[in-house]
Amino acid sequence: MDFTVSEKMQTILEMIKEFVDKELYPLEPEFLRKNFSELEPVLEEKRRMVRQMELWAPLHPKEYGGMGLSLTEYALVAEALGGSPLGLYVFGCQAPDAGNIEILHKYGTEEQKEKYLRPLIDGIIRSCFSMTEVELPGSNPTWLATNAVKDGDDYVINGHKWYTSAADGAAFAIVMAETNPEASQHLRASMIIVPLGTPGFNVVRNISVMGHVGDSWHSHAEILYQNCRVSQTNLLGPEGQGFVLAQERLGPGRIHHCMRWIGICNRCFDLMCSYAVKRPIAPGVKMAESPLIKGYIADSAAEILAARLMVLHTAWTIENHGVKAAMKDISLIKFFAADVLQKVVDRALQIHGGLGMTDDTPISYFYRAERAARIYDGVDEVHKISVARRILRRYEGKKA
Ligand SMILES: Cc1cc2nc3c(=O)[nH]c(=O)nc-3n(C[C@H](O)[C@H](O)[C@H](O)COP(=O)(O)OP(=O)(O)OC[C@H]3O[C@@H](n4cnc5c(N)ncnc54)[C@H](O)[C@@H]3O)c2cc1C
């Protein structure tokens, strides 16, 4: 694998870093204190600046107005953007839209692409992904209680979901529902597009997560589907292939999160080093002189580098050999990078002492918000089991 960064990418990265530094970091205190919707007008203005710089939608296809970067190129961009909680949103490559865009691009009909994909990439509308259920384990997505039953030309959907992130203000949801209950476990569910506002799509609440109810893009909804009727033309991809599509959606989606987390690690690492060299722990003695603090810094540097190289390697493997060939690597980095993220954020907070607990730095936000990294897009345990199973197969003489 070649780690050379092209001149074009170096220029792009410098532009992004400068923009994040000048335009986004100063917005963070407001982001931490206000509702997201209150910040939207100013974020819209920043998005306009990004479009003018021709850096909009770096990951998404050129034919739809994106930059069409490769996955390894995007890894560097997501890292540069990830240091600010606003970075990916302002550049039009935020979750859950990014994953939905990939699925729509690959499996959408021409009509679905015009109606949903194009405005989504343009940033005119937002979307959400509605798979996890209240009553059943989200870590086993082949087991769903939500069903979609055919009635005339329609599907009628019933079910109880939660953690449908960013549903508040979204234009449509991609819902996972069982359409083929008699089929084998992996072929029972389908993805169906449900425009918000369809009767029977009932938002129960935005869930309070770690003390934060949130709104707009920055929220997680609980939703009751009650005889929610949509046309069968809203089926996304083949019927019964929902789980297969979800794997495709979550594969690259997981690596996008890992790339962003490296950005958070870099930011926290910068903050911890800058603070350690200036904060006294005794008259004339700076915190950075303590061997314990040096240990935190050395461990963090090593772990961030390891996670970064693994992320780049996985992106390269997906790019050159496809998602299927990279499944083990995707699982490996998902739990490894999440663990590194949490250790680095925790050390940065510790080094800042009482200041780390305040919202005067973004560290406490990362500490709260990124605890979820070990849960969403596959809990640690499931990824570890999957990695070990793939490894052990080789020792048992089976195909890995
Ligand atoms: C911030 C956030 C955003 C999210 N966004 C979305 C979204 O946009 N759309 C969506 O559909 N979902 C979303 N989710 C939901 C997420 O995908 C689920 O929470 C996740 O899949 C785990 O499912 P669960 O919560 O039902 O936990 P469960 O499946 O009930 O698991 C609970 C715990 O049991 C243990 N466990 C589970 N399985 C195993 C196993 N096989 N072996 C050993 N231990 C195991 C683990 O410790 C696990 O943490 C989001 C979650 C969070 C926290």
Side-chain angles (χ1 to χ4, degrees):
M1 187 188 158
D2 182 1
F3 288 103
T4 316
V5 178
S6 69
E7 269 183 42
K8 180 192 96 175
M9 276 311 296
Q10 275 177 21
T11 310
I12 290 174
L13 292 172
E14 274 161 31
M15 286 168 76
I16 291 177
K17 281 176 191 156
E18 197 184 330
F19 186 91
V20 170
D21 211 30
K22 278 198 185 141
E23 306 292 338
L24 301 187
Y25 286 170
L27 285 180
E28 288 176 357
E30 274 192 272
F31 167 74
L32 294 175
R33 287 183 193 109
K34 289 184 175 172
N35 285 331
F36 191 81
S37 54
E38 290 175 73
L39 217 61
E40 272 171 340
V42 62
L43 294 179
E44 210 39 62
E45 173 57 20
K46 303 294 174 200
R47 284 179 149 200
R48 196 187 54 74
M49 291 165 76
V50 169
R51 286 190 184 94
Q52 260 178 1
M53 288 157 65
E54 298 187 9
L55 294 176
W56 178 252
L59 178 66
H60 303 315
K62 264 192 172 156
E63 53 185 307
Y64 287 94
M67 288 173 74
L69 293 184
S70 71
L71 203 54
T72 42
E73 288 171 331
Y74 180 68
L76 303 172
V77 166
E79 182 183 331
L81 291 174
S84 167
L86 299 167
L88 275 83
Y89 179 86
V90 167
F91 279 69
C93 47
Q94 72 284 354
D97 297 310
N100 290 346
I101 284 170
E102 287 197 14
I103 289 292
L104 278 163
H105 187 239
K106 200 157 178 191
Y107 293 99
T109 61
E110 280 315 308
E111 195 193 332
Q112 289 169 348
K113 285 181 180 168
E114 279 312 308
K115 196 165 170 187
Y116 301 108
L117 178 65
R118 199 174 281 286
L120 202 51
I121 295 182
D122 282 346
I124 296 167
I125 60 170
R126 287 192 294 97
S127 64
C128 54
F129 185 67
S130 201
M131 182 162 82
T132 306
E133 308 201 337
V134 178
E135 300 296 339
L136 292 179
S139 47
N140 183 359
T142 61
W143 187 18
L144 297 173
T146 302
N147 60 18
V149 177
K150 281 181 180 156
D151 184 37
D153 293 335
D154 299 333
Y155 282 116
V156 178
I157 305 169
N158 280 288
H160 190 186
K161 304 275 190 184
W162 74 344
Y163 276 108
T164 300
S165 299
D168 186 359
F172 67 94
I174 296 179
V175 183
M176 276 278 275
E178 198 173 83
T179 46
N180 304 64
E182 68 298 333
S184 65
Q185 198 188 356
H186 292 85
L187 298 172
R188 286 181 197 153
S190 301
M191 286 196 188
I192 300 171
I193 300 172
V194 178
L196 267 74
T198 304
F201 181 97
N202 297 320
V203 177
V204 179
R205 57 173 176 152
N206 280 339
I207 318 160
S208 178
V209 177
M210 291 269 184
H212 181 250
V213 174
D215 72 336
S216 185
W217 172 69
H218 200 216
S219 65
H220 310 281
E222 177 180 343
I223 293 165
L224 259 180
Y225 294 85
Q226 291 170 305
N227 293 326
C228 181
R229 182 181 284 272
V230 294
S231 161
Q232 283 177 34
T233 57
N234 284 24
L235 179 71
L236 180 54
E239 198 175 66
Q241 294 284 315
F243 180 74
V244 178
L245 267 64
Q247 286 302 100
E248 282 203 37
R249 182 190 182 282
L250 291 175
R254 282 172 187 138
I255 181 168
H256 299 161
H257 280 303
C258 295
M259 295 162 172
R260 180 174 65 78
W261 297 340
I262 304 297
I264 298 174
C265 287
N266 291 339
R267 177 93 186 272
C268 288
F269 187 73
D270 275 349
L271 289 167
M272 77 163 96
C273 293
S274 326
Y275 196 67
V277 294
K278 72 172 192 224
R279 180 77 170 172
I281 47 171
V285 185
K286 297 286 189 276
M287 193 201 298
E289 290 168 50
S290 155
L292 281 174
I293 300 299
K294 287 193 172 99
Y296 287 159
I297 289 168
D299 284 343
S300 301
E303 289 162 5
I304 296 169
L305 179 60
R308 184 173 193 266
L309 293 177
M310 283 167 77
V311 169
L312 287 172
H313 175 256
T314 305
W316 180 88
T317 307
I318 293 176
E319 213 162 82
N320 288 279
H321 303 289
V323 173
K324 215 170 167 191
M327 286 312 267
K328 188 185 88 189
D329 298 298
I330 292 170
S331 278
L332 266 177
I333 56 158
K334 171 63 182 46
F335 72 77
F336 185 80
D339 184 47
V340 169
L341 169 72
Q342 280 166 24
K343 285 186 192 148
V344 172
V345 173
D346 184 73
R347 287 183 198 126
L349 194 150
Q350 185 70 17
I351 281 183
H352 281 75
L355 174 60
M357 294 296 294
T358 69
D359 292 328
D360 291 355
T361 84
I363 300 170
S364 60
Y365 168 78
F366 290 135
Y367 188 87
R368 283 191 311 277
E370 302 305 340
R371 176 60 183 83
R374 292 179 52 203
I375 294 172
Y376 59 68
D377 283 8
V379 297
D380 277 2
E381 290 84 348
V382 168
H383 284 300
K384 287 183 184 180
I385 289 167
S386 159
V387 166
R389 201 179 49 225
R390 283 172 197 276
I391 292 170
L392 291 173
R393 268 187 213 153
R394 280 208 310 272
Y395 290 86
E396 291 162 354
K398 296 179 197 155
K399 209 165 164 249

